[in-house]
Amino acid sequence: MAFMTGQPSRPAWSPMEEWWYRDIVDPGKLPLLAALVSFVMTFLVTRTVTRLIRAGHGPFRNVSAGGVHIHHAVPGVVLMVAGGFAGIATGQAGWPGVLAAVLFGVGAGLVLDEFALILYLADVYWTEQGRRSVEAVVLTTALLVMVLAGVVPFGVDALSEEERRQRGVLAGTVLLNFAAALVSLAKGKLWTAVAGAVVPLIAFTGAVRLARPGSFWDRRLYRNRPRTRERARRRARRHDRRWSPVTGRLQDLLGGTPDDELRPR
């Protein structure tokens, strides 16, 4: 007993406290968690403000200097640079490292909220193309959550300890799954490639199915195969009719509805 040994007894921890110290504090993931939370919150707050400005409600206004509209990606880049270099300088140790992670997360949220503007080099924020920003934020959030949860990419965490010891099996599994994920990505299936990095079956399924129209695979390998290209287009149309309304509503909920006159007809 504690009073007989002279050592103080550890206070009983709740399951949440146990998880906090075992999975976040002890592995040194607190800066990553801080960056993730600040990233997501910044995106949500920024989208709320921009939607209020668009609707003409509230005290918020676009910022301009010398007749030039200052996009919020500009301060975002500054914060990312400051947070990144501060994190390197502190070595992510203690609260300075957490503060650096928060700065980086806020900056990343501001930059990726305007990812589509950087991608297309045009002000497409409220257009159909602007939805690429929402996709980039959701994709980044999913990857960060997987890293935070300790999920090892390419299905390595599904291997037994004996298989882990066999370097050949491990290397072969990683290479095959990585190749399948790359093929899925080349076929225009971004989300399948991301999910397949964790679940090998998803990557292989995406790799063997038909490519999306306009993808790298379609442009390079289907150009001399008109029947295959037509089958791929028919399948893509069926898929889009089924799922586009659902994904569109989710994107509208997160990022706002694109301008009606700029929607594809």
Side-chain angles (χ1 to χ4, degrees):
M1 297 178 65
F3 70 89
M4 295 177 64
T5 60
Q7 297 178 351
S9 59
R10 179 177 68 82
W13 283 350
S14 66
M16 181 60 69
E17 290 174 322
E18 196 77 38
W19 167 83
W20 175 258
Y21 282 98
R22 183 187 66 247
D23 296 335
I24 301 298
V25 177
D26 290 343
K29 292 182 179 179
L30 187 56
L32 179 61
L33 177 62
L36 173 60
V37 172
S38 58
F39 170 75
V40 174
M41 292 303 298
T42 299
F43 169 74
L44 294 176
V45 170
T46 301
R47 279 285 163 165
T48 300
V49 171
T50 56
R51 291 169 79 168
L52 288 172
I53 293 174
R54 185 192 192 193
H57 301 316
F60 306 106
R61 297 292 182 272
N62 289 321
V63 178
S64 300
V68 177
H69 173 58
I70 306 299
H71 291 279
H72 46 267
V74 175
V77 170
V78 174
L79 290 174
M80 285 182 66
V81 171
F85 281 112
I88 294 172
T90 60
Q92 296 186 349
W95 287 108
V98 174
L99 179 58
V102 170
L103 289 176
F104 187 86
V106 171
L110 292 172
V111 170
L112 288 190
D113 183 59
E114 293 193 324
F115 171 78
L117 280 71
I118 301 171
L119 178 64
Y120 295 105
L121 293 179
D123 194 353
V124 294
Y125 194 86
W126 293 118
T127 71
E128 192 74 22
Q129 294 171 319
R131 285 179 164 176
R132 304 292 86 77
S133 297
V134 179
E135 293 174 358
V137 169
V138 173
L139 177 60
T140 302
T141 302
L143 291 174
L144 288 175
V145 169
M146 286 192 296
V147 174
L148 191 65
V151 177
V152 183
F154 307 120
V156 177
D157 57 336
L159 297 177
S160 65
E161 289 299 323
E162 181 63 27
E163 289 173 322
R164 289 174 188 270
R165 297 190 191 99
Q166 300 174 2
R167 293 179 179 269
V169 175
L170 178 61
T173 301
V174 171
L175 288 175
L176 284 175
N177 202 19
F178 183 66
L182 282 180
V183 171
S184 296
L185 186 62
K187 288 188 172 184
K189 303 173 183 181
L190 176 61
W191 291 104
T192 301
V194 173
V198 180
V199 184
L201 181 60
I202 296 178
F204 288 114
T205 301
V208 299
R209 303 195 74 178
L210 292 170
R212 294 279 303 176
S215 65
F216 175 83
W217 195 278
D218 173 55
R219 295 194 305 272
R220 295 290 182 177
L221 299 179
Y222 289 173
R223 57 184 177 183
N224 296 323
R225 301 166 61 186
R227 291 185 179 179
T228 302
R229 174 170 280 180
E230 183 57 32
R231 284 175 49 225
R233 289 177 177 173
R234 287 200 303 269
R235 183 184 179 279
R237 285 195 293 267
R238 289 196 301 269
H239 179 275
D240 291 343
R241 280 198 300 269
R242 178 180 301 175
W243 295 108
S244 288
V246 177
T247 58
R249 283 194 292 270
L250 289 175
Q251 289 176 328
D252 291 347
L253 179 64
L254 288 173
T257 306
D259 294 329
D260 290 338
E261 66 272 19
L262 296 178
R263 282 182 178 273
R265 300 182 185 279

